[in-house]
Amino acid sequence: MSEPASAAIKADYDAVVVGAGFAGLYMIHKLRSLGLSVLAFEAGSGVGGTWFWNRYPGARCDVYSLEYSYSFDEALQREWVWTERYPAQAEILRYIEHVADRFDLRRDIRFNTRVASAHYNEPANLWRVETEAGEAVTARFCIMASGALSAPRKPDFAGLDDFAGTWYHTGHWPHEPVDFTGQTVAVIGTGSSGIQVTPMVAQQAKRLFVFQRTPNFSIPAWNHPLPDHVQDAWKRDAAQLRAKAKATKSGALYEYGQRGAFEVSEEERQREFDARWARGGANFTHAFNDLFKDRAANDLAADYVRGKIREIVKDPAIAAKLTPTDHAIGTKRICVDTDYYATFNRENVTLVDARETPITRITQAGIETSGGHYAVDSIVFATGYDAVTGALTRIDIRGRGGVSLAEKWQDGPKTYLGLMVAGFPNLFTITGPGSPSILTNVVMAIEQHVEWVGDCLTYMARNAATTIEAEPKAEEDWVNHVREVAEATLHVQANSWYMGANIPGKPRVMLPYVGGLGVYTGICNDIAADGYRGFAMARAG
Ligand code: FAD
Ligand code: NAP
């Protein structure tokens, strides 16, 4: 299949891949294993994606290291040694770099190269991918591995250019260590990134102001070194454990409660929450099977965490401000922290309520709010991302008839399985909108997508198909299904980035598929087994 069967114009490559994070790297490896030629473009100067860009102090993942790693290669899995339960950014990056070296992936990646456009040339059945520098290549297939959390929300505060100090975005952190010693620092944002960076900056800075607009729920990580016996046991049973994880809702081996919160006595419920708080991490939100569906059940879990905040934070007024009341626990991405709430007991840390006294502008000397001015030396923006669709709509992607993807998605993304878009033949999106993606252990969602795409390309080659495209009706049905499943949960009530609510003007749509990775994988596999139902395939000629 490395020769395009139909084309009057020969493609430069069988496939172009955009991005060299977990998704892009595995995609390159997979394409090569199918005997296809591939070129990848990566805006960064190295591999790693999220873990290349997010070098802020405190950055680490909140899925166990043994699970937040590739499963596709048995020897890799056996040989790599993790040091911690939740590894820090540097260790994850080292792992990804090791994978790139081990499989010799870098030779097909063009670094420091941002893709500006991808246009489908209909008569030739090719994608023409052009970089910001003006270089263009053609390929039969275009695979977007551009990330669901890779388009940082540029701080749009008035006056930022006047700021005389230094500012940072957590998602675009410098490669050199940043030293806040002796400084007065502002952190703006209290999502997962803000919650990780705040305790670290507090330890260094002379003074820290944390600007919080909306408080978030956070569960302690209780991170610790990974004992050898745990690692050895995992490796012994890895195949079985991975299969089990992939069949779950979240692609991770959480203990998924099998009963509703009201099906147990108050004492038992308390014991369950206590045990999960003591174990730490996102496992907490799986204590009972109705926490994402029943607000009254959810309130029990939320109240438990609210109680913990009151216990940890000494000043009741500050504790009250840190206590989330606007959303059900878990409907915004649950945060996992090390000493976040306790950080507000420090004398050098001040919580600023950016809801009561919103930030009005950045000045030369600091931050102006409706309640006063805060002079600072540095600002850390932990203000998040244009999630799931942002990296895609920032590229000028055009399908049949020159239709732009951004225009097609004006009222919300429309995909079939989060993998393909009607009108955009031979364009695949890894962890695209309408797939489980960021509701899961994302590495497992990535592997499932890459493997599905690989199988699909193999099927096409066997059947001499040169084009695959989502059928409009299949896409419409999938979009409706994604919406219906989401509407049966509490997710749709929250002003979260899952719902596009963090970006002014973004349509209010639940971006990922809430049905769970295991269920979703079954659907994808059935569709493939049924001759790629809902996809139109065409041969050359
Ligand atoms: P990315 O890692 O985002 O890689 C995409 C790459 O595409 C980037 O390097 C980007 O530069 C490149 N790119 C994008 N657009 C272009 C373009 N136009 N031209 C060229 N290159 C482009 N997930 C979990 O499951 N567990 C966690 O604990 C977890 N922690 C996270 C912590 C942080 C701070 C963040 C931001 C995300 C976290 N995630 C976590 C989600 C994480 O993004 C995924 O787990 C995973 O790393 C995504 O891999 P990816 O390859 O799909 O995307
Ligand atoms: P985020 O969850 O979107 O949080 C952004 C924060 O910035 C919010 O608190 C938001 O407040 C605030 N903000 C935005 N604009 C503001 C303004 N004008 N004034 C004041 N505050 C403002 O982004 P994130 O923290 O970067 O996390 C994004 C996702 O990345 C996470 O949900 C998670 O999936 C992943 N992540 C994971 C980890 C991990 O522990 N594994 C760590 C970091 C990131 P509002 O809520 O009021 O909008």
Side-chain angles (χ1 to χ4, degrees):
M1 192 159 146
S2 51
E3 282 295 311
S6 71
I9 308 171
K10 190 180 180 302
D12 298 326
Y13 298 92
D14 291 317
V16 158
V17 171
V18 181
F22 270 110
L25 292 180
Y26 185 30
M27 196 69 244
I28 297 167
H29 182 61
K30 174 63 69 185
L31 290 162
R32 276 193 200 160
S33 73
L34 299 176
L36 299 177
S37 62
V38 52
L39 179 68
F41 291 111
E42 169 52 58
S45 62
V47 299
T50 287
W51 306 104
F52 171 87
W53 297 106
N54 283 266
R55 296 166 188 249
Y56 61 86
R60 62 177 69 245
C61 79
D62 60 8
V63 172
Y64 292 167
S65 52
L66 294 166
E67 299 195 49
Y68 188 75
S69 48
Y70 291 117
S71 71
F72 70 84
D73 188 87
E74 181 47 36
L76 167 67
Q77 185 160 253
R78 206 176 40 245
E79 286 162 27
W80 183 264
V81 177
W82 291 103
T83 66
E84 287 182 286
R85 181 194 213 191
Y86 298 116
Q89 170 271 335
E91 185 169 5
I92 304 173
L93 183 58
R94 252 195 330 275
Y95 168 77
I96 300 177
E97 287 176 338
H98 167 80
V99 171
D101 292 338
R102 187 176 183 117
F103 299 106
D104 188 22
L105 301 177
R106 290 177 215 261
R107 67 182 151 90
D108 288 328
I109 306 170
R110 208 151 298 163
F111 292 106
N112 299 305
T113 310
R114 187 170 284 280
V115 168
S117 68
H119 292 181
Y120 180 60
N121 175 337
E122 209 161 334
N125 185 26
L126 294 176
W127 281 91
R128 182 178 186 279
V129 178
E130 191 169 329
T131 69
E132 280 186 347
E135 184 198 357
V137 297
T138 56
R140 170 76 60 224
F141 298 100
C142 181
I143 304 175
M144 293 295 168
S146 44
L149 290 165
S150 60
R153 215 185 134 190
K154 192 176 174 295
D156 51 4
F157 297 95
L160 183 56
D161 290 344
D162 303 334
F163 183 53
T166 314
W167 65 267
Y168 310 87
H169 189 290
T170 49
H172 201 149
W173 201 262
H175 287 207
E176 319 72 53
V178 177
D179 187 1
F180 293 112
T181 307
Q183 291 193 15
T184 300
V185 182
V187 170
I188 301 179
T190 52
S192 298
S193 303
I195 279 176
Q196 286 188 329
V197 80
T198 289
M200 302 298 286
V201 177
Q203 285 169 30
Q204 258 187 8
K206 181 174 74 186
R207 185 95 203 264
L208 170 63
F209 296 107
V210 179
F211 290 78
Q212 170 193 270
R213 195 164 59 182
T214 316
N216 257 312
F217 291 100
S218 190
I219 310 295
W222 310 125
N223 193 28
H224 54 68
L226 202 58
D228 287 348
H229 71 271
V230 171
Q231 192 140 203
D232 294 345
W234 168 270
K235 288 177 181 178
R236 256 195 318 276
D237 282 344
Q240 199 198 338
L241 292 167
R242 292 291 203 169
K244 200 170 155 198
K246 288 175 194 180
T248 65
K249 191 172 158 62
S250 306
L253 293 173
Y254 298 127
E255 293 135 288
Y256 298 90
Q258 299 300 317
R259 290 172 303 174
F262 291 103
E263 286 178 47
V264 301
S265 68
E266 204 180 325
E267 294 71 38
E268 197 173 340
R269 206 159 48 226
Q270 184 70 23
R271 270 202 306 277
E272 188 64 33
F273 287 144
D274 282 344
R276 286 180 186 254
W277 182 271
R279 281 202 290 280
N283 200 27
F284 185 86
T285 54
H286 299 289
F288 296 100
N289 64 11
D290 51 359
L291 297 186
F292 288 94
K293 293 204 166 124
D294 177 350
R295 187 63 194 247
N298 188 288
D299 280 344
L300 297 169
D303 281 345
Y304 180 90
V305 177
R306 291 184 189 118
K308 286 291 180 190
I309 299 170
R310 281 192 296 274
E311 268 174 37
I312 299 167
V313 180
K314 289 188 187 132
D315 181 331
I318 297 173
K321 280 197 186 301
L322 286 167
T323 300
T325 52
D326 73 317
H327 65 280
I329 186 169
T331 56
K332 284 179 136 184
R333 171 67 149 67
I334 191 77
C335 302
V336 176
D337 71 280
T338 298
D339 292 338
Y340 175 66
Y341 295 121
T343 293
F344 293 90
N345 294 331
R346 294 177 66 108
E347 299 221 323
N348 66 334
V349 177
T350 305
L351 181 67
V352 182
D353 187 334
R355 172 90 48 204
E356 218 169 72
T357 55
I359 298 169
T360 48
R361 61 177 293 115
I362 309 292
T363 66
Q364 196 195 359
I367 297 174
E368 186 80 53
T369 73
S370 62
H373 185 265
Y374 297 82
V376 297
D377 302 303
S378 296
I379 305 174
V380 175
F381 291 100
T383 43
Y385 297 86
D386 184 352
V388 186
T389 51
L392 296 167
T393 54
R394 285 179 187 188
I395 303 172
D396 176 24
I397 301 175
R398 289 175 190 269
R400 281 191 201 283
V403 170
S404 114
L405 187 74
E407 277 166 31
K408 172 165 173 159
W409 285 2
Q410 244 170 17
D411 299 325
K414 294 184 175 59
T415 70
Y416 184 32
L417 300 175
L419 274 160
M420 294 202 89
V421 183
F424 296 76
N426 293 352
L427 176 87
F428 294 95
T429 50
I430 306 300
T431 66
S435 74
S437 65
I438 33 76
L439 283 179
T440 67
N441 165 6
V442 182
V443 183
M444 292 303 98
I446 286 170
E447 286 196 339
Q448 186 263 335
H449 264 191
V450 168
E451 285 159 16
W452 192 93
V453 171
D455 291 347
C456 175
L457 298 184
T458 305
Y459 178 93
M460 288 178 73
R462 281 203 198 110
N463 291 277
T466 50
T467 315
I468 177 167
E469 182 176 358
E471 290 169 357
K473 176 72 172 75
E475 179 178 276
E476 190 187 325
D477 289 349
W478 182 252
V479 169
N480 288 335
H481 174 64
V482 170
R483 198 193 52 246
E484 280 160 16
V485 174
E487 280 171 356
T489 70
L490 300 172
H491 278 292
V492 291
Q493 295 173 14
N495 288 325
S496 64
W497 59 257
Y498 293 144
M499 292 294 295
N502 64 329
I503 303 292
K506 197 164 170 173
R508 196 176 165 85
V509 172
M510 184 64 181
L511 295 166
Y513 176 56
V514 189
L517 183 65
V519 169
Y520 170 83
T521 303
I523 295 171
C524 291
N525 291 348
D526 287 350
I527 286 171
D530 200 10
Y532 291 85
R533 183 177 1 106
F535 291 97
M537 285 201 200
R539 288 165 187 245

